[in-house]
Structure formats: C-alpha cells, structure tokens
Amino acid sequence: MNQVILKYYVTPNAVFCIEITKNDIEINKFNDKKAIEDLVKSNLASNKIIQNNYKNQLSQLYKALIPELNSKKIVVVPDNFLNYVAFESLFNEKNSRFLVQDFDLSYDYSLPIGLLNKKFKPANQANNFVAFAPSYPASDIGVTRGDLKELIFAKKEAATVAKLFEGTAFLNNDATKNAFLNEKENFGVFHFSMHSLLFEDDFNKSCLVFSNNQRLYFSELYAMDFPAQMVVLSACDTGNGVLKSGEGIMSISRALTYAGVNATVMSLWQVPDKETSEIMIDFYQNLKK
C-alpha cells in the first residue's frame, strides 16, 4: 500500500518527524521547537475568531511540519502540543492546496495502538447505520453543539444521513443514553449529532449529552466494549481534552479508540449547528460514493 506513517517526537529544542514506509525509515529534524509551538498556539487562537490571514499561518505550519511526501495516504501520530493540530487543514502555498486535497489523512494515538487496530479487527463487521440526535429542555435555539440548547439542524442531519444508508435514527426523546447502550453491539456505524461537554479540569467528566441531559462520560466510554467500525462525533471538542505527558490528549475520541472503535471522526473545536449539518451530510454523500 502506498502509505507513509509520520510519527512526531517533541524534544526540548526540536521536533522530529520519523517517516515510515513499507521499505524505508527516514528521520526529519525541525530545529526550532519553540517557534513551532508558538505557531500552533497562534493557530488555535485564530480558530476561535474570524481571521483573514489564516492561510498564512497554515502555510507556515505546513513548512514547519510536513516533509516531502511521495505517498498518497498519510497516517499522522502526533506528540505533545501537535495533538492540537488539524493536519488536514495545513496549506501548501506551492500549489495553493490544503493537505487534505492532496492526501488521504488519518491519525493514530500511538504506533502500538495503530498496529493493534490493524491486527485485531472489531468483532462487529456490520455496516448497518444508526444515528442519535436528542432534544434538549432549553427553549433557546443553540448556535453551537456545546451549550445544551436545542439543536434544530442536528436532528435534520441525523435523519438525513440515516435515510441515506437505510439506517435507524433515534431522534428527540428517543435518543437516550439507554438506547445507545442497548444498541451498541447491533450496528457497525454510529453517528452522534448532539452536544458534548469538555471538562479540562477533569477529563473523566467530559461527556456526550443524550436526551433528558443523560450524560455518557469519558470514564464510561473508556471502560466500555464497543466494537464499532466507525463512530462520527458530530459535536464540539470531541478530539480535545487534557494533554497528559506520555499519553497524549485524553478526549472522547481517545476513549472510543480504547473501547474498540476502529475509526472515529472528531472535532478539535466548537462546531456550529447549521454549518456542521451541511458538512456532515456532504461527508456521508461522498462516503456512500
């Protein structure tokens, strides 16, 4: 397979990228660790406000982190603060294209986890589809999927993508925590259009929020047997969490990986309800093709 693994290591003074292909290993050294870290922090801050110069930042990160690549498929294994980088958004000014436009990109939390995922396939090989989109008691309409207000477009999204795959949709008051727990071994692909809460002071409290404010916590997911082919987390900050030394980011997505989920689609920031719905429907239409 035409694939390269990019395994990053952050040291006190430099960032290393180990390029691993089927027949070769190459070591790339990027000398100024502090400059790269400052770029990452600046990019994270700009994601929260409208910035006209975002391509300039993403271009600098591309130059700082991406070696010359001959493979079309990339697996990124980040380290330290690089866990906060959305590598697919990095911008190559040489051809005026984002990384995701030229490469198939995915992530692993570590090389051992990646190898285990390839060796031990999930027990549930079914491709049948289920979506969850709860109602919330707040009378206000939510703009993002992280403030516990009612999400109009999330329900439209869940119903649309479930119909696209002739799947099942648990909507409104049917989208309960118990409904998920009862069905977690009966489907291969799970889609969650809902609120999620990020607790940076205690990652075990980070959670997905089902109907009636029923919360499915990081600690529960981490200990769960959940052999899904894919889980799509159409919610806020599901790839974010506490950065633990030697471990990486303790996120909802990471908990799902340890629970046995083969692939997870996640977010690294607050996501707007309406635009996320449009992106997700487009994502599944292309996935079906």
Side-chain angles (χ1 to χ4, degrees):
M1 183 182 292
N2 188 20
Q3 173 180 289
V4 60
I5 298 173
L6 300 182
K7 173 68 179 89
Y8 289 88
Y9 293 94
V10 176
T11 68
N13 298 312
V15 174
F16 291 86
C17 176
I18 315 300
E19 244 181 293
I20 306 170
T21 61
K22 183 178 180 181
N23 300 312
D24 195 21
I25 295 178
E26 184 174 337
I27 300 175
N28 302 276
K29 183 180 180 182
F30 306 114
N31 282 309
D32 198 339
K33 174 251 185 180
K34 186 178 185 307
I36 296 174
E37 186 173 11
D38 289 343
L39 270 174
V40 170
K41 289 179 179 177
S42 177
N43 180 243
L44 287 173
S46 70
N47 286 333
K48 299 179 181 179
I49 57 175
I50 296 174
Q51 290 277 344
N52 293 323
N53 66 338
Y54 69 95
K55 282 186 179 179
N56 180 52
Q57 286 184 347
L58 296 171
S59 173
Q60 291 181 65
L61 279 171
Y62 192 106
K63 293 175 185 176
L65 293 172
I66 305 300
E68 289 291 328
L69 297 171
N70 296 316
S71 301
K72 291 300 294 181
K73 183 176 177 61
I74 304 172
V75 179
V76 173
V77 186
D79 183 36
N80 203 292
F81 57 81
L82 296 179
N83 283 276
Y84 294 110
V85 176
F87 279 78
E88 51 269 82
S89 71
L90 302 188
F91 186 72
N92 185 354
E93 63 179 16
K94 290 181 180 179
N95 62 7
S96 298
R97 290 167 66 85
F98 295 98
L99 192 72
V100 72
Q101 293 178 280
D102 291 324
F103 301 95
D104 293 330
L105 185 79
S106 60
Y107 299 85
D108 274 324
Y109 286 106
S110 70
L111 285 176
I113 291 175
L115 292 171
L116 279 172
N117 281 343
K118 290 175 177 60
K119 185 175 182 180
F120 299 106
K121 293 297 182 183
N124 188 355
Q125 297 291 326
N127 291 319
N128 48 338
F129 185 100
V130 63
F132 293 83
S135 283
Y136 297 96
S139 58
D140 295 338
I141 302 301
V143 176
T144 67
R145 299 188 180 181
D147 55 10
L148 296 186
K149 295 178 181 178
E150 185 66 1
L151 299 174
I152 294 176
F153 294 97
K155 286 191 279 289
K156 174 186 175 183
E157 168 191 317
T160 301
V161 298
K163 184 177 180 181
L164 189 65
F165 288 90
E166 299 180 353
T168 301
F170 289 87
L171 306 177
N172 300 310
N173 291 331
D174 291 329
T176 63
K177 178 179 176 180
N178 282 337
F180 162 68
L181 294 175
N182 290 335
E183 300 291 346
K184 67 182 178 68
E185 295 181 8
N186 297 331
F187 294 88
V189 180
F190 288 74
H191 181 84
F192 296 105
S193 300
M194 59 179 58
H195 285 301
S196 67
L197 300 177
L198 172 65
F199 290 88
E200 294 186 298
D201 59 333
D202 183 359
F203 61 83
N204 283 299
K205 295 194 297 184
S206 294
C207 58
L208 298 173
V209 186
F210 289 83
S211 65
N212 301 317
N213 198 31
Q214 297 170 337
R215 303 186 180 195
L216 182 61
Y217 293 100
F218 172 98
S219 54
E220 294 177 279
L221 285 168
Y222 197 90
M224 189 178 290
D225 180 21
F226 186 18
Q229 284 290 313
M230 181 172 75
V231 171
V232 176
L233 297 168
S234 188
C236 292
D237 286 310
T238 49
N240 269 337
V242 178
L243 181 61
K244 295 197 70 173
S245 178
E247 290 285 342
I249 292 181
M250 308 304 285
S251 64
I252 293 291
S253 173
R254 185 186 183 91
L256 288 170
T257 298
Y258 277 91
V261 174
N262 196 42
T264 306
V265 178
M266 62 185 183
S267 62
L268 286 175
W269 41 68
Q270 293 274 313
V271 297
D273 185 36
K274 181 177 184 294
E275 289 79 3
T276 298
S277 176
E278 294 168 356
I279 290 170
M280 285 287 99
I281 291 170
D282 191 49
F283 167 78
Y284 280 110
Q285 287 172 339
N286 280 279
L287 184 65
K288 186 173 183 179
K289 292 177 185 178

